[in-house]
Amino acid sequence: MDVLSFWCRMKQRSGWRAHRCVLCHDSASDGLCDGCLADLAEHFTDAANSCPLCFRQVAGGAVCGQCQKKPPEFERMWASVYYEASVSGMVHQFKHLGDMSMRRPLADLMRRHAPDWLDTAGIDCVLPMPLSKVRRLYRGFNQSEELAESLARDYGWQVLPRQFIERAHKPPQSTLKSDERRRNVRNIFKLNKTLPENCKILLIDDVMTTGATLNELAQTLKASGASAVYCWCLARSQLKR
């Protein structure tokens, strides 16, 4: 099956499942039934006991020692859920199998557990985590872009166009260890257009593990004139040992 046929098939599947829960297949108007939504709410992150800069679990929500020693380039981080089953299964269906019926329920999880700083951050525009041209061609879409556009419609945000920034093609971060991830993302982003002066940008990503890619992108944006960068991820994964 070629890429176009696969993509059309996934679009059709999304339509067929529009009124069914994506997990249990019971009746649901927005992709998740009340029972499954209640189960997934148990995966909401404990923001009150997470570092505000990397979202590692820290009692009392203080800045962790690692972030005190080397603060990230972005101002705040937020993850809506922990990357655990059934969330990980939904993300896999969406990201790697192109199942677009997962887009709305995953974005809804983000809306239901949104950053507590969102109303005061003064966001000017939103930037989905870019994919390289090679990876986007292979996958057929950018999962972070789909989430960002869904959220932007609700919040009234401007989404920066895809051509705004380029990402060099490198091995997937998920295949690398922590120290390798930082080296893998050095200087991978290149801006093609000028940023609005002193703009505050919200980065949207699907899964955050070390935060290395977000940090590299924030550094590139600030070097190009952004006054502040915030990060909102669907899920927070645990580091591999």
Side-chain angles (χ1 to χ4, degrees), residues 201-217:
I201 300 178
L202 175 64
L203 303 181
I204 299 291
D205 203 0
D206 59 341
V207 181
M208 178 255 193
T209 303
T210 66
T213 312
L214 288 164
N215 194 64
E216 182 69 21
L217 181 51

Side-chain angles (χ1 to χ4, degrees), residues 95-110:
K95 183 175 180 176
H96 298 293
L97 301 182
D99 187 348
M100 300 305 290
S101 69
M102 297 293 172
R103 174 178 53 187
R104 191 199 293 186
L106 288 173
D108 192 42
L109 288 177
M110 296 179 75

Side-chain angles (χ1 to χ4, degrees), residues 7 80-81 95 97 104 136-137 147 151 191 198 213 215:
W7 183 240
S80 294
V81 293
K95 183 175 180 176
L97 301 182
R104 191 199 293 186
R136 184 183 180 88
L137 180 62
L147 293 173
L151 294 169
L191 263 69
N198 295 321
T213 312
N215 194 64

